[in-house]
Amino acid sequence: SYKHDFTEMNLYSVFDALVWKLSPEGTTLWAVGGGGTGEDVLHDAFTDAARCVYAVGSYTSRYPDDSGGMATFGGVALSNAPSGFSSAVVWKLNSLGTTLWATRAGVPGGTSWSSSSPLGAELHAVSGDDVAGGVVAGGAMHSGSLVTEGGGASMSVSGGYYGGAFLWSMTAAGVTRWVVAGGGARYTYVTVPDGGVSRKYSDSIQDVSVDGAGAVIAIGNMVLVPTLMMPSPTSTFGSQIGRAHV
């Protein structure tokens, strides 16, 4: 069991998502794991006034023929449709480590999967929203469109042709409030030496905060790779345009 004394158990895949809580003295209080059949990673967490934890990251299915592409977070099963893509995840637990809800965002159903062009979405950062309540999370989408499933209601957003950075606002109950995307001028592939896996990197949000007036501040990166076809690529965020410096 992940509860209380924590011992790593490979319940889901090679990489499992982990939330680990310790006392002020460094004693483990509880730890829980979750994920799908592929690479499941959490990148950031926020704790609210009720000591509930909001953890964000992504999960995957290893192959496109995995059964349903499902992932489980504390008993909550999330689909990863179409299987083979990564999905962004927001996972909420109470102060005792019991899952309250989990929700996902990813590419629309019917999108074709290709091992040479892995697509999907991931979240890198989360912040509490003291004005509106709930949280705002930020990350990257590696396709031209994204669908969120907060609170059982779908909301879609379009990025650039190559995807882009996105921000996702939701209530404390996990209901999507809004989602916006920006960037999408270019992407680049990096091949992992040990596994030879081609990974796709695009514009991305790396950190996010909400000020006292409820305004959201996000920081991250733009991937602007000049090519013969696009010698001066740009990424658009609202009406603001970022340009490559070459």
Side-chain angles (χ1 to χ4, degrees):
S1 171
Y2 277 93
K3 292 284 186 174
H4 307 302
D5 293 332
F6 173 55
T7 301
E8 171 61 26
M9 295 176 64
N10 188 9
L11 296 181
Y12 304 99
S13 63
V14 177
F15 296 98
D16 291 339
L18 166 69
V19 181
W20 185 10
K21 182 175 181 178
L22 302 91
S23 71
E25 295 74 33
T27 301
T28 294
L29 300 176
W30 50 261
V32 295
T37 59
E39 186 175 312
D40 316 308
V41 182
L42 296 176
H43 294 290
D44 198 13
F46 167 76
T47 304
D48 65 14
R51 296 183 293 166
C52 292
V53 178
Y54 299 79
V56 301
S58 64
Y59 64 92
T60 65
S61 298
R62 186 164 307 193
Y63 301 111
D65 58 354
D66 281 338
S67 178
M70 301 299 292
T72 303
F73 296 89
V76 177
L78 299 176
S79 66
N80 189 26
S83 179
F85 293 76
S86 65
S87 288
V89 62
V90 181
W91 184 11
K92 184 178 181 179
L93 308 93
N94 67 16
S95 61
L96 300 178
T98 301
T99 294
L100 299 177
W101 51 260
T103 188
R104 67 172 290 274
V107 298
T111 306
S112 298
W113 187 91
S114 169
S115 60
S116 64
S117 181
L119 304 175
E122 59 203 43
L123 288 169
H124 300 146
V126 62
S127 176
D129 186 341
D130 292 336
V131 177
V135 295
V136 178
M141 51 188 285
H142 304 306
S143 61
S145 59
L146 178 82
V147 176
T148 67
E149 297 182 354
S154 295
M155 184 177 293
S156 62
V157 65
S158 296
Y161 180 79
Y162 296 103
F166 80 101
L167 288 163
W168 185 8
S169 173
M170 66 187 66
T171 69
V175 178
T176 296
R177 184 178 290 115
W178 51 258
V179 57
V180 296
R186 288 293 297 169
Y187 62 78
T188 186
Y189 285 102
V190 175
T191 300
V192 179
D194 57 353
V197 179
S198 183
R199 296 180 181 273
K200 186 176 179 183
Y201 292 88
S202 63
D203 300 335
S204 176
I205 300 300
Q206 298 295 332
D207 199 9
V208 60
S209 65
V210 182
D211 69 16
V216 178
I217 299 92
I219 61 172
N221 60 271
M222 299 183 292
V223 177
L224 295 168
V225 183
T227 66
L228 291 177
M229 296 292 291
M230 190 182 294
S232 182
T234 62
S235 284
T236 302
F237 298 85
S239 60
Q240 304 301 311
I241 299 178
R243 297 185 180 275
H245 297 279
V246 296

